Amino acid sequence: MKAKARLLLIALAAIFVTVLTRPTLAYYTTIGKATNVVTSGDIQLQIHEKTADGSDFPAEGVYIIPGDIVSKQVSVENVCGHPFYLRVKLVSGSTNESLSADECLKLDIDTRNWTSQDGYYYYNQILQPGECTSALFTQVEIVGSKVDQTHVGSTLSLTVNAYAVQSENNPADHPWDASGWPAE
Amino acid sequence: MKKCFAVLVVCLVLAACVLPAAAANGQVTYQKGAEKFIFLPGSEYSPTDLFPNFKDVMPGDSIQQKILVKNDAANNCKVKVYMRALGAHEDSAAFLSQLDLTVAKGTDTVMFDAPADQTAQLTDWVCLGTLYSGGECELIVTLDVPVTLDNRFMDLVGYLDWEFAVEELPVEPEDPRPPQTGDESQILLWAIVLAVSLTMIIVLLFSRKKKEKE
């Protein structure tokens, strides 16, 4: 009888022990690492130089004679994800000291969309991502009266330099008032 | 057919509304079964990236990033959640030292306010709170990019590490009871214990009767 009572007690104890020990399981600690990333944006532009038929202006240049009108359409495209202000500087040059490139190259500047200020041509609008400006000029006229026989074999050049500065967090009444224009 | 089309349109609209909002938050989720953290949403730079909003930042930007820290364990799991900063990776320090980072718990308690490459107030573990099953807390991280940041820092990638830890605690009787979302008790074990106990009791009763008859 005693042995059976003991068995009964053991059975009851088993039930209690399993119930009571349940909440006292060991506590866990878990650690995890997150690698967070910050990236900075950038400003990128692309200068397009085309001819009237839509083809690229030849990199090696073209042969000219006095009075020629050369088709050269210069525009700038925003190829980044941020809007920006834009300005362009035109630098002309000559291999002949007696030939002034400034005087003999005449450009049909688009003064409706571009404003000349401080030696730069400023695009009047903010250029949005993916947009392209109107052409700053579409043709270059070689002024005949400024060129003569002594200039045969000379080379005239016209370099287009474009500069952009972000318009986000950079309010300005006019593009030339914007802060942060890159140095030349 | 029309009804199906209408339902489809509504679903698409809802998905379009909900998905971008969800994607803009960082998420740290503790999963008890796996004994690990899940970090979302990740990025092309790091699978555990919690900063989806801090990409392509520009001088003058001040951007916020919400991060939800969740205890996704099933019922009756109470954890203390901690975090600490490990600082910037070595090659990112120059860039991140230019940026200011603030981490606040909710809208009030600022836990960190220093250049982003530093560990500052988060050098040691800081407790974010006690979370019961299904509970969550919110971190608001603000990144300030100075307007003076120049072209040297254009188009860069900066990495900084954070660590999270949980300490699992016993649920006390006075703890608030979380809503029951499932039955986790080990039914099979209890059934076996019950069956064994009942069998023993029946055997005892049977043998007692037999003895009485004798």
CSV table of all heavy atoms in Angstrom, one decimal, chain B residues 134-171:
chain,number,residue,atom,x,y,z
B,134,GLY,N,5.3,41.5,-29.8
B,134,GLY,CA,4.5,42.4,-30.7
B,134,GLY,C,4.7,43.9,-30.4
B,134,GLY,O,4.3,44.8,-31.2
B,135,GLY,N,5.5,44.2,-29.4
B,135,GLY,CA,5.8,45.6,-29.1
B,135,GLY,C,6.9,46.2,-30.0
B,135,GLY,O,7.6,45.5,-30.6
B,136,GLU,N,6.9,47.5,-30.0
B,136,GLU,CA,7.9,48.2,-30.9
B,136,GLU,C,8.2,49.6,-30.3
B,136,GLU,O,7.4,50.2,-29.5
B,136,GLU,CB,7.4,48.3,-32.3
B,136,GLU,CG,6.2,49.2,-32.5
B,136,GLU,CD,5.7,49.2,-33.9
B,136,GLU,OE1,5.8,48.2,-34.6
B,136,GLU,OE2,5.2,50.3,-34.4
B,137,CYS,N,9.4,50.1,-30.6
B,137,CYS,CA,9.7,51.5,-30.3
B,137,CYS,C,10.3,52.1,-31.6
B,137,CYS,O,10.7,51.4,-32.5
B,137,CYS,CB,10.6,51.6,-29.1
B,137,CYS,SG,12.3,51.0,-29.4
B,138,GLU,N,10.3,53.5,-31.6
B,138,GLU,CA,10.7,54.2,-32.8
B,138,GLU,C,11.9,55.0,-32.5
B,138,GLU,O,12.0,55.8,-31.6
B,138,GLU,CB,9.5,55.1,-33.2
B,138,GLU,CG,9.7,55.7,-34.6
B,138,GLU,CD,8.5,56.6,-35.0
B,138,GLU,OE1,8.3,57.7,-34.4
B,138,GLU,OE2,7.7,56.1,-35.8
B,139,LEU,N,12.9,54.9,-33.5
B,139,LEU,CA,14.0,55.8,-33.4
B,139,LEU,C,13.9,56.8,-34.6
B,139,LEU,O,13.5,56.4,-35.7
B,139,LEU,CB,15.3,55.0,-33.6
B,139,LEU,CG,15.6,53.9,-32.6
B,139,LEU,CD1,16.9,53.2,-33.0
B,139,LEU,CD2,15.8,54.6,-31.2
B,140,ILE,N,14.2,58.0,-34.3
B,140,ILE,CA,14.2,59.0,-35.4
B,140,ILE,C,15.6,59.5,-35.6
B,140,ILE,O,16.2,60.1,-34.7
B,140,ILE,CB,13.2,60.2,-35.1
B,140,ILE,CG1,11.8,59.6,-35.0
B,140,ILE,CG2,13.3,61.3,-36.1
B,140,ILE,CD1,10.8,60.6,-34.7
B,141,VAL,N,16.2,59.3,-36.7
B,141,VAL,CA,17.6,59.6,-37.0
B,141,VAL,C,17.5,60.8,-38.0
B,141,VAL,O,16.8,60.8,-39.0
B,141,VAL,CB,18.3,58.4,-37.7
B,141,VAL,CG1,19.8,58.7,-37.8
B,141,VAL,CG2,18.1,57.2,-36.8
B,142,THR,N,18.3,61.8,-37.7
B,142,THR,CA,18.3,63.0,-38.5
B,142,THR,C,19.8,63.2,-39.0
B,142,THR,O,20.7,63.2,-38.2
B,142,THR,CB,17.9,64.3,-37.8
B,142,THR,OG1,16.6,64.0,-37.2
B,142,THR,CG2,17.7,65.4,-38.7
B,143,LEU,N,19.9,63.4,-40.3
B,143,LEU,CA,21.2,63.6,-40.9
B,143,LEU,C,21.3,65.0,-41.4
B,143,LEU,O,20.4,65.4,-42.3
B,143,LEU,CB,21.5,62.6,-42.0
B,143,LEU,CG,22.8,62.7,-42.7
B,143,LEU,CD1,23.9,62.1,-41.8
B,143,LEU,CD2,22.8,62.1,-44.1
B,144,ASP,N,22.2,65.8,-41.0
B,144,ASP,CA,22.4,67.2,-41.4
B,144,ASP,C,23.7,67.3,-42.3
B,144,ASP,O,24.8,67.0,-41.8
B,144,ASP,CB,22.5,68.2,-40.3
B,144,ASP,CG,21.1,68.4,-39.6
B,144,ASP,OD1,20.1,68.7,-40.3
B,144,ASP,OD2,21.0,68.1,-38.4
B,145,VAL,N,23.5,67.7,-43.5
B,145,VAL,CA,24.7,67.8,-44.4
B,145,VAL,C,25.0,69.3,-44.5
B,145,VAL,O,24.1,70.1,-45.0
B,145,VAL,CB,24.4,67.3,-45.8
B,145,VAL,CG1,25.6,67.3,-46.7
B,145,VAL,CG2,23.8,65.9,-45.7
B,146,PRO,N,26.2,69.8,-44.1
B,146,PRO,CA,26.5,71.2,-44.1
B,146,PRO,C,26.5,71.7,-45.5
B,146,PRO,O,26.9,71.0,-46.4
B,146,PRO,CB,27.8,71.3,-43.4
B,146,PRO,CG,28.4,70.0,-43.6
B,146,PRO,CD,27.3,69.0,-43.6
B,147,VAL,N,26.0,73.0,-45.7
B,147,VAL,CA,26.0,73.6,-47.0
B,147,VAL,C,27.4,73.8,-47.5
B,147,VAL,O,27.7,74.0,-48.7
B,147,VAL,CB,25.2,74.8,-47.0
B,147,VAL,CG1,25.9,76.0,-46.4
B,147,VAL,CG2,24.6,75.2,-48.3
B,148,THR,N,28.4,73.8,-46.6
B,148,THR,CA,29.8,74.0,-47.0
B,148,THR,C,30.5,72.8,-47.5
B,148,THR,O,31.7,72.8,-47.9
B,148,THR,CB,30.6,74.5,-45.8
B,148,THR,OG1,30.3,73.6,-44.7
B,148,THR,CG2,30.1,75.9,-45.3
B,149,LEU,N,29.8,71.6,-47.5
B,149,LEU,CA,30.4,70.4,-48.0
B,149,LEU,C,30.8,70.6,-49.5
B,149,LEU,O,30.0,71.0,-50.3
B,149,LEU,CB,29.4,69.3,-47.9
B,149,LEU,CG,30.0,67.9,-48.1
B,149,LEU,CD1,30.7,67.4,-46.8
B,149,LEU,CD2,28.8,66.8,-48.3
B,150,ASP,N,32.1,70.4,-49.8
B,150,ASP,CA,32.6,70.8,-51.1
B,150,ASP,C,32.7,69.6,-52.0
B,150,ASP,O,32.4,68.5,-51.6
B,150,ASP,CB,33.8,71.6,-51.0
B,150,ASP,CG,35.0,70.9,-50.4
B,150,ASP,OD1,35.1,69.7,-50.6
B,150,ASP,OD2,35.8,71.5,-49.6
B,151,ASN,N,33.3,69.9,-53.2
B,151,ASN,CA,33.4,68.8,-54.3
B,151,ASN,C,34.2,67.6,-53.9
B,151,ASN,O,34.1,66.5,-54.5
B,151,ASN,CB,33.9,69.4,-55.6
B,151,ASN,CG,32.8,70.2,-56.3
B,151,ASN,OD1,31.7,70.2,-55.9
B,151,ASN,ND2,33.2,71.0,-57.3
B,152,ARG,N,35.1,67.7,-52.9
B,152,ARG,CA,35.9,66.6,-52.5
B,152,ARG,C,35.0,65.5,-51.9
B,152,ARG,O,35.4,64.3,-51.9
B,152,ARG,CB,36.9,67.0,-51.4
B,152,ARG,CG,38.0,67.9,-51.8
B,152,ARG,CD,38.9,68.3,-50.7
B,152,ARG,NE,38.1,69.1,-49.7
B,152,ARG,CZ,38.3,69.1,-48.4
B,152,ARG,NH1,39.3,68.4,-47.9
B,152,ARG,NH2,37.6,69.9,-47.6
B,153,PHE,N,33.8,65.8,-51.5
B,153,PHE,CA,33.0,64.8,-50.9
B,153,PHE,C,31.8,64.4,-51.8
B,153,PHE,O,30.8,63.9,-51.3
B,153,PHE,CB,32.5,65.3,-49.5
B,153,PHE,CG,33.6,65.7,-48.6
B,153,PHE,CD1,34.0,67.0,-48.3
B,153,PHE,CD2,34.3,64.6,-48.0
B,153,PHE,CE1,35.0,67.3,-47.5
B,153,PHE,CE2,35.3,64.9,-47.1
B,153,PHE,CZ,35.7,66.3,-46.9
B,154,MET,N,31.9,64.7,-53.0
B,154,MET,CA,30.9,64.4,-54.0
B,154,MET,C,31.0,62.9,-54.4
B,154,MET,O,32.1,62.4,-54.5
B,154,MET,CB,31.0,65.3,-55.2
B,154,MET,CG,29.9,65.3,-56.2
B,154,MET,SD,29.9,66.7,-57.3
B,154,MET,CE,31.3,66.4,-58.3
B,155,ASP,N,29.8,62.3,-54.5
B,155,ASP,CA,29.7,60.9,-54.9
B,155,ASP,C,30.5,59.9,-54.1
B,155,ASP,O,31.3,59.1,-54.6
B,155,ASP,CB,30.2,60.9,-56.4
B,155,ASP,CG,29.6,59.6,-57.1
B,155,ASP,OD1,28.7,59.0,-56.6
B,155,ASP,OD2,30.2,59.3,-58.2
B,156,LEU,N,30.4,60.0,-52.8
B,156,LEU,CA,31.1,59.1,-51.9
B,156,LEU,C,30.1,58.2,-51.2
B,156,LEU,O,28.9,58.4,-51.1
B,156,LEU,CB,31.9,59.9,-50.8
B,156,LEU,CG,33.0,60.7,-51.3
B,156,LEU,CD1,33.7,61.5,-50.2
B,156,LEU,CD2,34.0,59.9,-52.1
B,157,VAL,N,30.7,57.1,-50.6
B,157,VAL,CA,29.9,56.1,-49.8
B,157,VAL,C,30.5,56.0,-48.4
B,157,VAL,O,31.7,55.8,-48.3
B,157,VAL,CB,29.9,54.7,-50.5
B,157,VAL,CG1,29.0,53.8,-49.7
B,157,VAL,CG2,29.4,54.8,-51.9
B,158,GLY,N,29.7,56.2,-47.4
B,158,GLY,CA,30.2,56.1,-46.0
B,158,GLY,C,29.4,55.0,-45.3
B,158,GLY,O,28.2,54.9,-45.4
B,159,TYR,N,30.2,54.2,-44.6
B,159,TYR,CA,29.6,53.0,-43.8
B,159,TYR,C,29.8,53.3,-42.3
B,159,TYR,O,30.9,53.7,-41.9
B,159,TYR,CB,30.4,51.7,-44.2
B,159,TYR,CG,30.2,51.3,-45.6
B,159,TYR,CD1,31.1,51.8,-46.6
B,159,TYR,CD2,29.2,50.4,-46.0
B,159,TYR,CE1,31.0,51.4,-47.9
B,159,TYR,CE2,29.1,50.0,-47.3
B,159,TYR,CZ,30.0,50.5,-48.3
B,159,TYR,OH,29.9,50.1,-49.6
B,160,LEU,N,28.7,53.1,-41.6
B,160,LEU,CA,28.8,53.1,-40.1
B,160,LEU,C,28.0,52.0,-39.5
B,160,LEU,O,26.9,51.7,-40.0
B,160,LEU,CB,28.4,54.5,-39.6
B,160,LEU,CG,26.9,54.9,-39.7
B,160,LEU,CD1,26.4,55.5,-38.4
B,160,LEU,CD2,26.8,55.9,-40.8
B,161,ASP,N,28.6,51.4,-38.4
B,161,ASP,CA,28.0,50.2,-37.8
B,161,ASP,C,27.2,50.5,-36.5
B,161,ASP,O,27.7,51.3,-35.7
B,161,ASP,CB,29.1,49.2,-37.6
B,161,ASP,CG,29.6,48.6,-38.8
B,161,ASP,OD1,28.9,48.6,-39.9
B,161,ASP,OD2,30.8,48.1,-38.8
B,162,TRP,N,26.1,49.9,-36.4
B,162,TRP,CA,25.4,49.9,-35.1
B,162,TRP,C,25.2,48.5,-34.7
B,162,TRP,O,25.0,47.6,-35.5
B,162,TRP,CB,24.0,50.5,-35.3
B,162,TRP,CG,24.0,52.0,-35.4
B,162,TRP,CD1,25.0,52.9,-35.2
B,162,TRP,CD2,22.8,52.8,-35.6
B,162,TRP,NE1,24.6,54.2,-35.4
B,162,TRP,CE2,23.2,54.2,-35.6
B,162,TRP,CE3,21.5,52.6,-35.8
B,162,TRP,CZ2,22.3,55.2,-35.8
B,162,TRP,CZ3,20.6,53.6,-36.0
B,162,TRP,CH2,21.0,54.9,-36.0
B,163,GLU,N,25.1,48.3,-33.4
B,163,GLU,CA,24.8,46.9,-32.9
B,163,GLU,C,23.6,47.0,-32.0
B,163,GLU,O,23.4,48.0,-31.3
B,163,GLU,CB,26.0,46.4,-32.0
B,163,GLU,CG,26.9,45.4,-32.8
B,163,GLU,CD,27.9,44.8,-31.9
B,163,GLU,OE1,28.2,45.2,-30.8
B,163,GLU,OE2,28.4,43.8,-32.4
B,164,PHE,N,22.8,46.0,-32.1
B,164,PHE,CA,21.6,45.8,-31.3
B,164,PHE,C,21.7,44.5,-30.5
B,164,PHE,O,22.2,43.6,-31.0
B,164,PHE,CB,20.3,45.8,-32.2
B,164,PHE,CG,20.0,47.1,-32.8
B,164,PHE,CD1,20.6,47.4,-34.0
B,164,PHE,CD2,19.1,48.0,-32.3
B,164,PHE,CE1,20.3,48.6,-34.7
B,164,PHE,CE2,18.9,49.2,-32.9
B,164,PHE,CZ,19.5,49.5,-34.1
B,165,ALA,N,21.1,44.6,-29.3
B,165,ALA,CA,21.2,43.4,-28.4
B,165,ALA,C,19.8,43.2,-27.7
B,165,ALA,O,19.2,44.3,-27.4
B,165,ALA,CB,22.3,43.5,-27.4
B,166,VAL,N,19.4,42.0,-27.5
B,166,VAL,CA,18.2,41.8,-26.7
B,166,VAL,C,18.6,40.9,-25.5
B,166,VAL,O,19.5,40.0,-25.6
B,166,VAL,CB,17.1,41.1,-27.4
B,166,VAL,CG1,16.5,42.0,-28.4
B,166,VAL,CG2,17.4,39.8,-28.0
B,167,GLU,N,18.0,41.1,-24.4
B,167,GLU,CA,18.1,40.3,-23.2
B,167,GLU,C,16.7,39.8,-22.9
B,167,GLU,O,15.8,40.6,-22.7
B,167,GLU,CB,18.7,41.1,-22.1
B,167,GLU,CG,19.0,40.3,-20.9
B,167,GLU,CD,19.4,41.2,-19.7
B,167,GLU,OE1,19.3,42.5,-19.9
B,167,GLU,OE2,19.8,40.7,-18.7
B,168,GLU,N,16.6,38.5,-23.0
B,168,GLU,CA,15.2,37.9,-22.8
B,168,GLU,C,15.0,37.8,-21.3
B,168,GLU,O,15.8,37.3,-20.5
B,168,GLU,CB,15.1,36.6,-23.4
B,168,GLU,CG,13.7,36.3,-23.8
B,168,GLU,CD,13.7,35.0,-24.7
B,168,GLU,OE1,14.3,35.0,-25.8
B,168,GLU,OE2,13.0,34.1,-24.3
B,169,LEU,N,13.8,38.3,-20.8
B,169,LEU,CA,13.5,38.3,-19.4
B,169,LEU,C,12.3,37.4,-19.1
B,169,LEU,O,11.4,37.3,-20.0
B,169,LEU,CB,13.2,39.8,-19.0
B,169,LEU,CG,14.3,40.8,-19.2
B,169,LEU,CD1,13.7,42.2,-18.9
B,169,LEU,CD2,15.5,40.5,-18.3
B,170,PRO,N,12.2,36.9,-17.9
B,170,PRO,CA,11.0,36.2,-17.6
B,170,PRO,C,9.8,37.1,-17.5
B,170,PRO,O,9.9,38.2,-17.0
B,170,PRO,CB,11.3,35.6,-16.2
B,170,PRO,CG,12.3,36.5,-15.6
B,170,PRO,CD,13.1,37.0,-16.7
B,171,VAL,N,8.6,36.6,-17.9
B,171,VAL,CA,7.4,37.4,-17.8
B,171,VAL,C,6.9,37.3,-16.4
B,171,VAL,O,6.7,36.2,-15.9
B,171,VAL,CB,6.4,36.9,-18.8
B,171,VAL,CG1,5.1,37.7,-18.7
B,171,VAL,CG2,6.9,37.0,-20.2
